[in-house]
Amino acid sequence: MTDRLYWNMEIEPQLGGEALRSLQIERLRLRARDLLREAPYFRRRLHASGVRAPEDIASLDDWARALPPFTKSDYRALMEECGGDVYRFLDETLPVPLERLVFMAATSGTTGAPQPYPLTREDIDGLWGEFMRRARWRAGVRPGDRLVHAFALSMFLAGVPSLMSIEDGDPLSIPVGAEAGAARILTTTRFFGGTVLSCTPSLAEHLIERAPAVLGAPIASLGLRILLCGGEPGAGIPEVRRRIEGAYGARLFDAGAGFGVSCAHAEYQGMHWVADDLALYELVDPTTHAPVELRDGAEGEAVFTTLVGGGFGWTRITLGDIHRIETSPCPCGTTGIRYRIVGRVDDMLKVKGVIVYPAAIDAVLASFIPRLTGEFRIALTEPPPRVVPPLVLRIERGEGVPESALPALEAEVRAALKERLKITPEIRWLAPLSLERSAHKTRFIEVAKPS
Ligand SMILES: [Zn+2]
């Protein structure tokens, strides 16, 4: 049956509604039981909020009250308490005994120590594997497809763990890995006739540039049908999507930052959360950590608790991402509330009490391309989040935009920022190409050094 709508026809039709609520509460109760038994760190926190037995968790509200969100700084503090011993840390926090772990994955640790993602067999099959299958099916991947894995295989969740969960009915896996480099990824994809490519969006863009030299033909000559991207923002950004889909002649899907995947609707609708039974999705206020109700248009810091497995061990964890959600039915017709990443907690700005994220300013300014180049900087006089008004934006005018057109353009840009973000910045114009370009994550904020 390859014409069915979802991979999991038992669960997925019920996503995003109340139908799975009692299953979630039952699983949270089991999680509380296991944490009380196995995880001293969370046992202390549960006791502190009056939770002594699994039965004390009778609703999602009880769960939100039971434990404060576990943030990156909580992670750093606890790791320090554990003397940097990762197994002591895991022993403090995991709802399963350490001998149940069979696999260690981790984040890259580019901004500090890597964060461990240990896995039990159930995490590999029932959590990660099941999520990957749901996401791939929604992206249109079917048995008979040939899937080229070009995420880093080494240590990453999207690497070897994805291969360990392979079962009958899955596409043919071709694990070349990002480590192989662009040339080998391209030649392997051609040799084995890959139909699906999974990798980071930046690698997908890099392959476009390398294809003519390596293959003697543009990337579209590979005949890939589907790109499954994730691991970093990009696949949700309209210009990046247009560039990648146009060059490959393929559909691009965006997965990650939780258990979600974008849909086939022509216009990007965010990622559908496809895992109500596998992981609880919550939003909290990024400053107070008070729960934010999941209604259309709500914004908050995303908080996750895994509901199956246990080694993965997300217990009200935050990854520092700010999401905006839509709970109304998606025009694509598939289930699952939708979330988009609108910013990072780390780069939150507060201007006269209004919270604004550089990524949100970026999105507004991008809508003015080509009258703007899209490059800009937020010039601060002191480190974020507090901004001493006015908020100063240094913005490059577009190629061929004369100085004389700037006053009118400035009025338009300011009106758009006011309407969409409730801010009225001061704009300082720059010539095109005067800001430094970065191949990686753009740094939008510059803080003036005290003179
Ligand atoms: Zn959709």
Side-chain angles (χ1 to χ4, degrees), residues 26-358:
E26 184 189 317
R27 289 183 172 175
L28 287 171
R29 211 174 280 153
L30 293 175
R31 172 55 64 95
R33 180 200 67 189
D34 295 343
L35 290 171
L36 286 165
R37 239 185 238 167
E38 302 286 346
Y41 175 84
F42 285 114
R43 183 191 308 137
R44 290 191 293 275
R45 288 193 151 194
L46 286 166
H47 284 175
S49 55
V51 176
R52 302 235 145 224
E55 298 72 51
D56 294 333
I57 307 295
S59 66
L60 295 188
D61 289 345
D62 286 345
W63 179 250
R65 273 192 297 269
L67 289 170
F70 187 79
T71 64
K72 247 196 192 153
S73 54
D74 291 321
Y75 169 70
R76 279 192 293 264
L78 182 55
M79 268 302 263
E80 209 176 300
E81 251 176 70
C82 294
D85 181 339
V86 68
Y87 295 103
R88 266 185 69 195
F89 165 79
L90 294 174
D91 203 34
E92 282 282 333
T93 54
L94 289 188
V96 294
L98 296 193
E99 50 284 13
R100 290 267 312 280
L101 304 177
V102 296
F103 191 90
M104 185 62 78
T107 62
S108 61
T110 41
T111 57
Q115 199 151 344
Y117 281 137
L119 304 167
T120 63
R121 189 71 237 179
E122 196 190 355
D123 290 307
I124 294 166
D125 300 332
L127 178 65
W128 188 248
E130 175 68 16
F131 162 63
M132 294 296 291
R133 267 181 208 102
R134 290 181 191 180
R136 285 197 298 253
W137 194 271
R138 282 170 180 246
V141 181
R142 293 293 179 270
D145 266 314
R146 297 180 288 264
L147 198 169
V148 177
H149 293 264
F151 280 109
L153 294 178
S154 162
M155 295 311 290
F156 278 91
L157 266 177
V160 173
S162 301
L163 300 161
M164 288 171 77
S165 67
I166 289 172
E167 62 178 42
D168 285 345
D170 285 342
L172 171 68
S173 275
I174 305 167
V176 57
E179 296 89 342
R184 188 140 176 255
I185 293 169
L186 289 166
T187 53
T188 304
T189 303
R190 181 165 64 186
F191 185 75
F192 288 107
T195 58
V196 182
L197 173 66
S198 72
C199 61
T200 61
S202 51
L203 178 57
E205 293 202 274
H206 179 58
L207 294 177
I208 298 171
E209 283 166 37
R210 292 295 306 281
V214 175
L215 302 174
I219 195 85
S221 68
L222 290 174
L224 287 158
R225 284 197 309 123
I226 296 166
L227 265 73
L228 276 169
C229 286
E232 62 186 29
I237 301 166
E239 308 86 81
V240 177
R241 294 184 67 75
R242 267 196 295 280
R243 209 156 48 228
I244 293 178
E245 292 195 323
Y248 282 80
R251 294 304 309 272
L252 170 63
F253 294 85
D254 182 18
F259 298 99
V261 62
S262 65
C263 60
H265 195 267
E267 196 182 324
Y268 184 72
Q269 300 290 326
M271 287 177 272
H272 286 253
W273 181 260
V274 297
D276 291 349
D277 57 324
L278 308 177
L280 181 71
Y281 179 88
E282 300 173 83
L283 292 179
V284 299
D285 181 296
T287 320
T288 64
H289 285 170
V292 170
E293 195 195 333
L294 298 186
R295 51 171 175 69
D296 233 17
E299 233 176 74
E301 186 173 2
V303 174
F304 311 97
T305 303
T306 46
L307 299 174
V308 296
F312 201 79
W314 276 3
T315 300
R316 289 208 93 214
I317 198 171
T318 71
L319 306 179
D321 287 324
I322 304 293
H323 291 187
R324 187 174 66 243
I325 62 162
E326 283 156 288
T327 55
S328 53
C330 182
C332 78
T334 65
T335 57
I337 64 166
R338 289 161 283 151
Y339 62 96
R340 306 167 192 251
I341 298 167
V342 295
R344 300 269 313 156
V345 173
D346 301 338
D347 57 22
M348 175 170 77
L349 300 173
K350 276 189 195 168
V351 192
K352 292 189 201 165
V354 175
I355 289 176
V356 58
Y357 298 97

